[in-house]
């Protein structure tokens, strides 16, 4: 009886998951940092990895990239569980929250969100734009509804759709995330969990229209690095003050009791992939046409 009970407890506890593969970030130890992940997880060394640096000039306009349709993002429903999972701060989502549109092949159900951040003096986003790293990045992970479980979805290249939002430092506090940040102190150590008061997911993403975004095919940015993610990285950023940012690294710890910070994977090679951007070539050409027209007009009349 005892060994079975022990086995069940092991399966349900987050600790064995944290221990598997023993991977870490360079801020913890170079011995298990991102450059070593491929030793235990060969997929981490493959050619469609994330994150990447997005070179905006090289992004290809794609007219099929319609606005993402958010369903249930505005609903205040059930309580969600916030957890320090040893690598990040993660919130497990429940309720009927989905995205579709945006040239996604299906409807995708929101499963969890988590963050990647830096330090007081070093930015910590995973994706970079034209070489610029941002202070923090939010990932909202969605699973293709056609698969019955998250682990099943990890086997298919259309399995997941992750929305990436970059944060930009603001002089004012972002009052919409104050309550959320106040909860960090309840989950300092890996395995610690707490329940959040219900809030709509729309509260943590930008208010503005989210019609401009980048799209590419990539991977999970943590082992086992499965190449199953349709990435959407929005141009619109989320404001956050310095003290709000610092609250993450001050309140949270890795399993080695070092402050949790710089928990981002460095950018990976694009290899033979393309990055697409919303908008159409027609719009680009009409913009070019307009400027040529203006130049001609100016030269004639001046
Ligand atoms: C948080 O985790 C630590 C280390 O595992 C444990 O000692 C502590 O009791 C946990 N705290 C709560 C509130 O769960
Ligand atoms: Zn992530």
């Amino acid at each position: 009886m005892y060994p079975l009970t022990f086995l069940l407890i092991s399966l349900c506890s987050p600790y064995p998951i944290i221990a598997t593969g023993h991977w870490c970030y360079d801020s913890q130890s170079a011995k298990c940092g991102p450059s070593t992940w491929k030793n235990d997880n060969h997929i981490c060394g493959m050619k469609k990895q994330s994150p990447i640096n997005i070179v905006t000039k090289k992004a290809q306009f794609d007219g099929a990239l319609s606005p993402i349709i958010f369903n249930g993002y505005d609903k205040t429903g059930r309580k969600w569980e916030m957890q320090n999972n040893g690598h990040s701060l993660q919130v497990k989502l429940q309720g009927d929250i989905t995205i579709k549109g945006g040239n996604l092949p299906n409807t995708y159900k929101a499963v969890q969100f988590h963050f990647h951040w830096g330090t007081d003096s070093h930015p910590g986003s995973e994706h970079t734009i034209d070489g610029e790293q941002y202070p923090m990045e939010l990932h909202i992970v969605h699973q293709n509804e056609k698969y019955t479980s998250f682990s099943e979805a990890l086997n298919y290249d259309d399995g997941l759709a992750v929305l990436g939002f970059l944060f930009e430092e603001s002089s004012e506090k972002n009052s919409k995330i104050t309550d959320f940040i106040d909860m960090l102190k309840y989950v300092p150590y890996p395995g610690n969990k707490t329940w959040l008061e219900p809030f709509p997911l729309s509260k943590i993403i930008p208010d503005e229209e989210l019609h401009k975004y980048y799209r590419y095919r990539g991977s999970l940015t943590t082992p086992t690095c499965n190449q199953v993610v349709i990435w959407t990285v929005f141009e619109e950023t989320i404001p956050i003050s310095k003290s709000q940012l610092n609250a993450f690294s001050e309140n949270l710890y890795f399993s080695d009791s070092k402050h949790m910070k710089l928990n981002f994977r460095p950018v990976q090679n694009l290899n033979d992939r393309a990055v697409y951007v919303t908008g159409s070539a027609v719009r680009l050409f009409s913009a070019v046409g307009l400027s040529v027209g203006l130049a001609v007009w100016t030269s004639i009349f001046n």
Side-chain angles (χ1 to χ4, degrees):
M1 195 59 200
Y2 173 75
L4 179 63
T5 314
F6 178 76
L7 177 70
L8 287 176
I9 291 170
S10 308
L11 287 173
C12 300
S13 145
Y15 294 107
I17 297 166
I18 289 162
T20 349
H22 189 61
W23 62 272
C24 72
Y25 291 104
D26 283 331
S27 56
Q28 297 170 263
S29 160
K31 286 195 192 121
C32 49
S35 61
T36 71
W37 293 355
K38 59 179 181 296
N39 303 341
D40 285 331
N41 300 279
H42 74 282
I43 302 173
C44 301
M46 290 174 76
K47 296 235 179 310
K48 293 179 178 172
Q49 290 290 294
S50 294
I52 57 161
N53 173 42
I54 295 168
V55 181
T56 56
K57 260 196 327 202
K58 289 191 183 163
Q60 300 176 21
F61 283 106
D62 184 350
L65 295 178
S66 52
I68 305 262
I69 298 162
F70 296 89
N71 286 310
Y73 262 67
D74 55 346
K75 294 224 172 69
T76 306
R78 287 195 248 174
K79 287 193 173 192
W80 296 325
E81 195 176 45
M82 172 193 265
Q83 184 195 6
N84 176 333
N85 69 8
H87 307 291
S88 182
L89 177 84
Q90 183 171 309
V91 175
K92 211 158 78 181
L93 297 170
Q94 293 185 60
D96 202 11
I97 309 171
T98 61
I99 53 169
K100 62 177 182 179
N103 204 27
L104 294 170
N106 200 6
T107 299
Y108 286 72
K109 175 185 180 305
V111 179
Q112 52 104 330
F113 67 86
H114 63 267
F115 302 85
H116 302 269
W117 62 89
T119 65
D120 209 9
S121 53
H122 196 292
S125 71
E126 296 211 298
H127 288 94
T128 60
I129 303 216
D130 293 327
E132 185 184 355
Q133 191 177 17
Y134 288 70
M136 183 153 88
E137 184 166 340
L138 161 66
H139 289 157
I140 310 180
V141 180
H142 302 73
Q143 174 204 321
N144 192 327
E145 277 199 336
K146 81 176 175 189
Y147 303 119
T148 52
S149 68
F150 191 77
S151 50
E152 192 199 348
L154 290 178
N155 298 316
Y156 300 94
D157 68 0
D158 61 353
L160 304 180
V162 182
L163 304 183
F165 292 93
L166 300 164
F167 285 74
E168 202 150 31
E169 200 181 306
S170 57
S171 47
E172 304 271 303
K173 274 190 176 169
N174 178 344
S175 60
K176 296 196 302 174
I177 55 175
T178 306
D179 293 346
F180 183 80
I181 287 173
D182 282 345
M183 298 301 286
L184 299 179
K185 59 177 177 287
Y186 298 114
V187 293
Y189 304 112
N192 289 161
K193 295 172 174 181
T194 191
W195 293 97
L196 298 173
E197 285 306 316
F199 66 92
L201 208 43
S202 57
K203 201 170 172 186
I204 59 166
I205 67 173
D207 290 329
E208 293 76 9
E209 291 291 311
L210 294 168
H211 45 68
K212 182 154 184 196
Y213 60 83
Y214 299 96
R215 164 65 52 76
Y216 78 100
R217 295 282 189 140
S219 74
L220 300 180
T221 65
T222 56
T224 47
C225 307
N226 303 49
Q227 300 187 144
V228 299
V229 180
I230 302 175
W231 274 99
T232 303
V233 178
F234 291 94
E235 185 183 63
E236 196 67 51
T237 57
I238 303 173
I240 188 168
S241 72
K242 191 141 208 122
S243 68
Q244 289 182 314
L245 269 168
N246 288 344
F248 282 80
S249 51
E250 280 164 8
N251 285 292
L252 304 171
Y253 295 85
F254 286 125
S255 54
D256 48 19
S257 71
K258 286 184 182 145
H259 281 281
M260 188 180 276
K261 58 187 182 188
L262 299 165
N263 55 348
F264 63 89
R265 185 189 198 188
V267 293
Q268 305 294 302
N269 290 331
L270 188 60
N271 299 314
D272 57 1
R273 289 174 290 176
V275 176
Y276 299 94
V277 62
T278 47
S280 66
V282 174
R283 209 184 292 168
L284 174 70
F285 289 136
S286 52
V288 170
L290 184 67
S291 15
V292 170
L294 271 174
V296 170
W297 187 84
T298 319
S299 62
I300 292 172
F301 292 97
N302 285 302

